[in-house]
Structures are given as C-alpha cells and as structure tokens.
Amino acid sequence: EEANMSLIHEIDYGTPLSKAETMVTLSIDGQSVTVPEGTSIDDVVSVAFQRWLDIVEANREMFVTMSRARFSSDPTVRGVSQASMEAWEPRIHQLLGTDPAKPQHRAMIRSFQAMVAEATAQWIQEGILEKSHVHSLLTHSLVAVKTTLSCL
C-alpha cells in the first residue's frame, strides 16, 4: 500500500486554466498539443510532458535502451544518444522562446536535458520515482528554466 503513495502532495495554485473557447494547436517535439487560447506556458509544458511520458511508458524498452546508451563505452552508441539530445534541444528553445545563440541559454537547456534523462531513468529503469513524480519535476523545472533564462 505504501508503494502507491505519492511523495509529492501539493495543491496547484498556479495560473488558472484559460476559459477561452478558441483552441490553438502547437506542435511540440512532433506531437500536437491543443489548448485553449491564452493558456499559460506552465499548462502547455504540463500537457506536453504528460504526452511525452505516455510515449515513454508505451515504449519503455526503447527508452531503457536509449538511457543506457548514454553511458556506453562504444563511441558510436554514445554518439547516437548525443545526436538524439542535440536534435531535441532546438525544440525546447522554440517552446520556451529562448535564444540558442546565447551560450547561457544552451547550457541551461542542456543541463535540463540531463535532468530529464536521469529522472526518466529513475522511473522506467530503477522504479524509484513514479510517473507523477517525474511529470511534476520536469514541468516545474522547465518553467523555472524559462524564468531564469528570461533574466539572462
């Protein structure tokens, strides 16, 4: 019974969901995300991560393999993993509206990506985190990255 308890108990007092009737569709990492017009970045990020985590869950073995590739002694295997991260980086910049030409912006996004990889591994490989923990961690962290980058 204790294994089903969430470690994170929080009430979201964030931006209320938009009540707009007009819907807008965004493409994030090849996935369409449809939200009410005026939806906060927090909510867009939350929806995007929920969909991404659903994909990870449905393709668990592939993600475990990719996670392990990060630490491979084979440079070709590590290169494939690195190329995957590099392909994902511009999409994050686009979502956040950050400037990939700024070294501080690139460094923050790359640091965030490393956290995404490790948090996902702690869920799908190690079983230490639950999907809901990873969702909360990634959503709040990416919003914090955006806030930080807006000052740089």
Side-chain angles (χ1 to χ4, degrees):
E1 185 176 339
E2 187 175 326
N4 292 331
M5 292 178 55
S6 176
L7 295 175
I8 301 172
H9 300 283
E10 62 182 27
I11 298 171
D12 182 11
Y13 294 109
T15 307
L17 291 174
S18 171
K19 294 182 182 177
E21 292 183 22
T22 303
M23 301 297 282
V24 293
T25 300
L26 310 166
S27 179
I28 301 171
D29 203 19
Q31 297 292 315
S32 293
V33 177
T34 302
V35 294
E37 188 175 50
T39 299
S40 72
I41 187 70
D42 306 47
D43 292 328
V44 171
V45 168
S46 178
V47 169
F49 274 124
Q50 186 59 53
R51 291 196 180 167
W52 184 77
L53 291 170
D54 289 346
I55 291 168
V56 170
E57 191 170 47
N59 298 280
R60 181 181 210 94
E61 292 305 314
M62 181 191 69
F63 279 92
V64 167
T65 300
M66 288 301 293
S67 177
R68 290 182 179 145
R70 296 181 298 143
F71 305 108
S72 174
S73 60
D74 183 327
T76 303
V77 173
R78 273 195 330 273
V80 169
S81 178
Q82 182 63 35
S84 172
M85 294 293 262
E86 288 171 2
W88 185 41
E89 187 179 329
R91 296 174 184 145
I92 299 172
H93 283 290
Q94 181 182 21
L95 172 65
L96 299 182
T98 55
D99 185 353
K102 291 185 175 181
Q104 299 94 340
H105 289 210
R106 286 194 316 275
M108 290 283 286
I109 297 304
R110 289 176 183 167
S111 298
F112 175 75
Q113 287 178 293
M115 186 188 68
V116 169
E118 186 58 28
T120 303
Q122 292 297 315
W123 165 46
I124 63 170
Q125 279 181 254
E126 305 300 327
I128 296 170
L129 296 178
E130 294 177 15
K131 182 179 179 181
S132 62
H133 301 148
V134 176
H135 178 263
S136 180
L137 174 65
L138 299 183
T139 298
H140 294 294
S141 296
L142 189 56
V143 171
V145 167
K146 177 169 178 46
T147 302
T148 301
L149 291 178
S150 68
C151 300
L152 297 179

